[in-house]
Amino acid sequence: LSAYRRVRDECKAKVEELLKMLEKPYGPQYQKNVMFLCNHNSCRSQMADGLLRHLRGKASVGVASAGIVGGTAVKEGAITVMKEAGVDISGFTSDAMDDFKPEDFDVVISCCGCGDKLNGDKEVWKNRPVFQDWNLDDPPAIDPGDLSAYRRVRDECKAKVEELLKMLEQP
């Protein structure tokens, strides 16, 4: 009887481990995984993350986003303009890249042109199979108060995410 309990407990632990893995928006359950990096993971990378989740459809593409120098909070302007586009990022958290492993990602996108900050122990992020530096403007720094900069960057980001998804469809 104790052998059955041991097997039952081992199976339960494996199932719980699998369920925990499936909760993540990226991981081995996807054919490709994309990491969006930005300085603080508060605006551009959050918009890119939300757009990829929204636009990927049935494509087996996992996604995460992180800040190079640590997370802050998702900007209200980003949440607002993404909601206008039908994408809810209000529940997203601002995470630090130190919470992730580069080897979990096939594609790394620097949303803010911060690729030059990826040196030393962070350089491994640039050495993933695909690395791109999108160099999107920083809406909080340039918005005149009417969210127009947020909307423009959101739309630029959407076009880039659509291009990225087409690239990932290629064999």
Side-chain angles (χ1 to χ4, degrees):
L1 192 59
S2 65
Y4 289 111
R5 287 185 180 130
R6 181 182 53 76
V7 169
R8 177 201 64 203
D9 292 344
E10 288 174 3
C11 287
K12 181 181 176 187
K14 289 290 185 188
V15 167
E16 288 172 348
E17 182 181 317
L18 178 63
L19 289 172
K20 188 174 182 179
M21 178 190 74
L22 292 174
E23 287 176 1
K24 290 199 275 186
Y26 71 96
Q29 68 270 31
Y30 294 99
Q31 290 178 350
K32 298 285 184 186
N33 286 284
V34 177
M35 170 58 82
F36 291 108
L37 294 176
C38 213
N39 283 321
H40 299 285
N41 191 223
S42 63
C43 187
R44 294 163 285 191
S45 53
Q46 297 286 353
M47 290 194 286
D49 185 335
L51 286 164
L52 194 146
R53 291 183 200 204
H54 183 73
L55 297 170
R56 70 182 165 196
K58 294 183 188 223
S60 183
V61 180
V63 60
S65 62
I68 291 174
V69 292
T72 53
V74 182
K75 299 286 186 193
E76 282 300 317
I79 293 169
T80 300
V81 301
M82 291 300 289
K83 193 173 283 188
E84 291 172 359
V87 181
D88 184 6
I89 63 169
S90 63
F92 284 19
T93 58
S94 185
D95 303 309
M97 68 185 289
D98 290 340
D99 296 336
F100 298 91
K101 296 185 289 190
E103 59 270 18
D104 288 341
F105 299 93
D106 308 289
V107 178
V108 175
I109 307 290
S110 161
C111 293
C112 60
C114 55
D116 60 336
K117 294 180 183 175
L118 298 174
N119 45 38
D121 62 336
K122 293 179 173 72
E123 192 157 350
V124 295
W125 288 94
K126 290 197 296 191
N127 296 327
R128 301 310 303 144
V130 175
F131 176 82
Q132 296 179 0
D133 214 334
W134 285 0
N135 206 20
L136 296 165
D137 287 336
D138 184 16
I142 62 171
D143 191 72
D146 61 0
L147 300 180
S148 59
Y150 283 90
R151 289 183 186 100
R152 179 180 55 78
V153 171
R154 175 202 61 204
D155 295 344
E156 290 172 7
C157 191
K158 180 181 179 188
K160 289 185 173 292
V161 167
E162 289 170 339
E163 288 174 24
L164 175 64
L165 285 168
K166 285 179 187 167
M167 181 195 78
L168 292 174
E169 289 174 0
Q170 305 294 322

